[in-house]
Structure formats: structure tokens, C-alpha cells
């Protein structure tokens, strides 16, 4: 989607203005298709595949990013601390193929997707991608039979994969104007009606806000780290970007809400000379070093997986997201019936 159109829709979705009303007929068609698909699962004309291990789906009902990737990273770290052997599956949005494949540290984002690559590098657990998440999960379990739990990155509306727990992530937009796509930001109605045929239930649904608490649930704290990193892994303090004599700074962001990244930089005292808001999942293949050679480039970790192929000295700023302890306690309670029995001595 063109960046200008993307930003226009984001603005339209905050209220019920002329553009939102103009898109209501299309939203009605979309709503009908959503209802028909859910009805097909309720009637068991379409079926959900259940895995031999529990599945935690981290997703949202909003179009665009709401903080799923850092939530997945935090959930995986917590599950590992609780003794679980974790694997991750994802569709791998924007990659060249729909086939199932493993994600390795040195993989190309175009082959596996930028977010799955970031997840693999940040967590170190097995990550598999595939259009059909159940097929990706089975391939992961075949290759890593010790895996005890699968975390699915996105896929709340991917009913073909049966889930045991869901984590729905909201950002500062909340539910926007409350309308379905494209008149509003919602992929499905909220509050939703659980689709039990796919494993959904109100008791096994956790809501995590990554912005101001606009939807009843838990709220995470998000801020940028106090350091940056380049392609070689060299770290330096974030404040070094303001050092006397430093090159002017250009901040680039190819995420759903680029302005949020720029605002977080400013909150940390980093004021870029120039900002570039790009489309979500921007591939940087057309990026020209010559056009930006007199700037120091700074970006998100997701963008860095692609930008570093062209500008390895560009610096990424990690995002630190901290969910409250009671959120993880609630997750543990949801998973308690699925915990594997301890090995006998």
C-alpha cells in the first residue's frame, strides 16, 4: 500500500468522517464474507487442525501492527523461564513463497519475512513459516520433537489452526471508530463472539494493550532501549547519536505507524534532522546509499533486517516492551491444564 494512502486510512479510522462513511458499503461486503467464513467453521464445513502440543496465538483484530512481535518475544522468554520448550510459527508476510520452511539466523528477509527473521534472532528458538500455520507447526515438531508448545505470530483469524490460548494485542488506537475494514481498522467485530470450533473462548483470551489502556485488559510498558546496534552487533549508547560533530541523523521506519517510532526517539532526547515514513514491511531494495550518505541512519529492528543488506552501518534501536507480572500469571493459569507431566527420576 502506498504510504500516503496508508496514512489517509489510518486518519480516517480514528473517526466516522466522509471517507469512512464512503467505505461503509465495502465494509458491509467484507463483514458478510467474515460471517460466512466463521459460519463454515461453526458448521464444520471447514475444520481447524489441532496439534499434539498447546498453541498460543498472539494476534490482533486491528489492521496494521499493534505490537505483536515484541509481545511474542516477551511471551517466549516467559515460557522458557517456566521450563517450556518453545517453537514459533508465522505466515511470514511479504516473503516470496508460501511454502513451509525453517527460519535461520542468516536467512534473507525476502525468503522468510522480516518479522520471523527478527523473532529467530531475538529468541533463538525454532521458527518456521508457511501460509498454512498448521503445516508449518507440524514441520517444526517433526524437526524439533522436544518442542512442548507453539507460539503463533499473528493468526487470530486463521481458524485453520486450533488454538488453546489467545493473546489479542491493541495499541493506542483501541478499536478506532469501531467499524470493520475498510471503513474502520477492525478485521472482526469487537467485542467478538468466540468461535469455539477453532478453540476460541472468553476464558482463554488475554488482552494486552501496548499503548494507553483503551480496551479492558493488561497494559505493557514500551520504550526504546538506551543503546543502538549495527549489522556487526556493535553496540553504542543511544546518546552517542547526539555527540558533538556527529553526522545529521535520518530516522527511517517501514512499520505500520512510523510516527510512533519517531515520537519514541524524541522522548529519549534524539531529534532526527530528517524522518522518512515508509510503508509497512518496506523492502529497501530500491534504497540508494548515495541519496543518504551524509546522514547517519537509524531504524527499528524490523527494518534493520532488510536495511543492513544495503547499509550495514545503519543503527537499529531495540524496542523494550515489559508486560505486567499479572499478565504472565494469567497466561500461566490458562496453560496449567496443558503443562507436560514432569519426567520421573
Amino acid at each position: 500500500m502506498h504510504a500516503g494512502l496508508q496514512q489517509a486510512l489510518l486518519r480516517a479510522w480514528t473517526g466516522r468522517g466522509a471517507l469512512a462513511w464512503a467505505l461503509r458499503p465495502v465494509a458491509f461486503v467484507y463483514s458478510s464474507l467474515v460471517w460466512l467464513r466463521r459460519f463454515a467453521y461453526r458448521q464444520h464445513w471447514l475444520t481447524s487442525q489441532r496439534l499434539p502440543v498447546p498453541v498460543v496465538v498472539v494476534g490482533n483484530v486491528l489492521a496494521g501492527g499493534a505490537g505483536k512481535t515484541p509481545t511474542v518475544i516477551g511471551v517466549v522468554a516467559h515460557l522458557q523461564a517456566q521450563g517450556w520448550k518453545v517453537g514459533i510459527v508465522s505466515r511470514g508476510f511479504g516473503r516470496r513463497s508460501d511454502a513451509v520452511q525453517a527460519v535461520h539466523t542468516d536467512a534473507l528477509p525476502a525468503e522468510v519475512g522480516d518479522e520471523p527473521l527478527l523473532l529467530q534472532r531475538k529468541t533463538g528458538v525454532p521458527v518456521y513459516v508457511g501460509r498454512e500455520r498448521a503445516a508449518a507447526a507440524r514441520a517444526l515438531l517433526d524437526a524439533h520433537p522436544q518442542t512442548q508448545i507453539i507460539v503463533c505470530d499473528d493468526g487470530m483469524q486463521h481458524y485453520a489452526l486450533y488454538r488453546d490460548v489467545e493473546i489479542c494485542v491493541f495499541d493506542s488506537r483501541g478499536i478506532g471508530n469501531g467499524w470493520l475494514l475498510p471503513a474502520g481498522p477492525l478485521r472482526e467485530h469487537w467485542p467478538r463472539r468466540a468461535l469455539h470450533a477453532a478453540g476460541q473462548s472468553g476464558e482463554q483470551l488475554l488482552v494486552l494493550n501496548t499503548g494507553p489502556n483503551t480496551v479492558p485488559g493488561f497494559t505493557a510498558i514500551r520504550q526504546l532501549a538506551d543503546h543502538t546496534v549495527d549489522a556487526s552487533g556493535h553496540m553504542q549508547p543511544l546518546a552517542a547519536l547526539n555527540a558533538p560533530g556527529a553526522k545529521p541523523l535520518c530516522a527511517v521506519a517501514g512499520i505500520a505507524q512510523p510516527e510512533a517510532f519517531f515520537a519514541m526517539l524524541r522522548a529519549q532526547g534524539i531529534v532526527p534532522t530528517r524522518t522518512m515514513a515508509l510503508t509497512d514491511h518496506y523492502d529497501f531494495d530500491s534504497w540508494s546509499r548515495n541519496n543518504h550518505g551524509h546522514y547517519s541512519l537509524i531504524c527499528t529492528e524490523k527494518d534493520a533486517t532488510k536495511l543492513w543488506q544495503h547499509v550495514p552501518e545503519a543503527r537499529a534501536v531495540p524496542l523494550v516492551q515489559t508486560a505486567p507480572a499479572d499478565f504472565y500469571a494469567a497466561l500461566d493459569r490458562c496453560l496449567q491444564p496443558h503443562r507436560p507431566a514432569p519426567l520421573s527420576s
Side-chain angles (χ1 to χ4, degrees):
M1 184 185 297
H2 187 274
L5 176 58
Q6 179 176 301
Q7 294 305 310
L9 283 175
L10 288 173
R11 289 192 296 271
W13 292 343
T14 61
R16 297 185 175 183
L19 178 56
W21 274 105
L23 293 171
R24 284 283 282 171
V26 187
F28 176 77
V29 175
Y30 174 81
S31 177
S32 300
L33 294 174
V34 169
W35 183 89
L36 284 171
R37 183 164 168 267
R38 288 170 59 88
F39 182 76
Y41 276 97
R42 286 198 300 270
Q43 297 299 115
H44 302 288
W45 300 338
L46 297 175
T47 57
S48 296
Q49 298 184 51
R50 193 160 195 171
L51 299 178
V53 299
V55 172
V56 178
V57 170
V58 179
N60 62 17
V61 296
L62 294 169
K68 294 185 300 294
T69 301
T71 301
V72 170
I73 293 169
V75 166
V76 169
H78 172 77
L79 292 175
Q80 288 179 308
Q82 299 301 306
W84 292 89
K85 302 295 184 183
V86 189
I88 298 174
V89 297
S90 175
R91 176 177 179 176
F93 182 85
R95 66 196 187 99
R96 294 171 182 163
S97 169
D98 288 334
V100 171
Q101 68 181 92
V103 179
H104 301 291
T105 304
D106 57 354
L108 295 175
E111 298 297 332
V112 299
D114 50 12
E115 289 166 346
L117 181 57
L118 178 60
L119 288 172
Q120 202 287 323
R121 290 177 176 176
K122 295 288 285 187
T123 67
V125 306
V127 180
Y128 275 65
V129 293
R131 182 181 180 87
E132 297 298 328
R133 275 76 153 192
R138 292 187 187 282
L140 188 156
L141 292 172
D142 287 343
H144 303 274
Q146 75 280 10
T147 302
Q148 299 170 317
I149 190 168
I150 294 290
V151 177
C152 181
D153 170 39
D154 208 356
M156 189 156 287
Q157 294 80 37
H158 183 74
Y159 306 127
L161 177 61
Y162 190 96
R163 68 289 316 272
D164 300 280
V165 181
E166 291 180 308
I167 299 170
C168 189
V169 184
F170 287 91
D171 59 17
S172 59
R173 294 174 291 167
I175 62 169
N177 61 14
W179 286 349
L180 294 187
L181 292 167
L186 295 179
R187 299 175 180 176
E188 60 177 294
H189 292 288
W190 189 270
R192 71 162 194 212
R193 183 179 178 183
L195 182 60
H196 299 292
Q200 292 183 336
S201 74
E203 293 75 22
Q204 296 295 98
L205 171 67
L206 303 178
V207 172
L208 183 66
N209 292 281
T210 61
N213 190 353
T214 56
V215 179
F218 303 96
T219 300
I221 297 173
R222 289 159 58 96
Q223 63 182 26
L224 296 180
D226 60 1
H227 64 275
T228 64
V229 61
D230 63 15
S232 66
H234 177 257
M235 295 170 54
Q236 72 175 29
L238 185 64
L241 297 173
N242 286 334
K247 295 167 66 175
L249 187 64
C250 176
V252 299
I255 56 177
Q257 297 189 72
E259 291 300 330
F261 174 63
F262 304 147
M264 294 179 82
L265 283 173
R266 296 184 187 105
Q268 295 280 71
I270 305 299
V271 182
T273 304
R274 181 184 182 190
T275 60
M276 296 185 65
L278 307 171
T279 56
D280 196 12
H281 298 282
Y282 185 78
D283 60 16
F284 289 95
D285 286 346
S286 60
W287 190 264
S288 172
R289 177 193 296 266
N290 294 333
N291 292 342
H292 311 282
H294 61 290
Y295 287 102
S296 291
L297 297 180
I298 190 169
C299 64
T300 69
E301 286 186 297
K302 186 174 87 168
D303 290 317
T305 62
K306 295 161 291 188
L307 182 56
W308 279 340
Q309 297 176 72
H310 308 281
V311 189
E313 68 273 17
R315 307 206 68 86
V317 190
L319 175 66
V320 180
Q321 176 174 301
T322 306
D326 52 351
F327 165 76
Y328 289 121
L331 176 61
D332 291 340
R333 287 193 296 272
C334 290
L335 288 172
Q336 185 59 41
H338 307 283
R339 282 203 69 95
L343 296 175
S344 62
S345 58

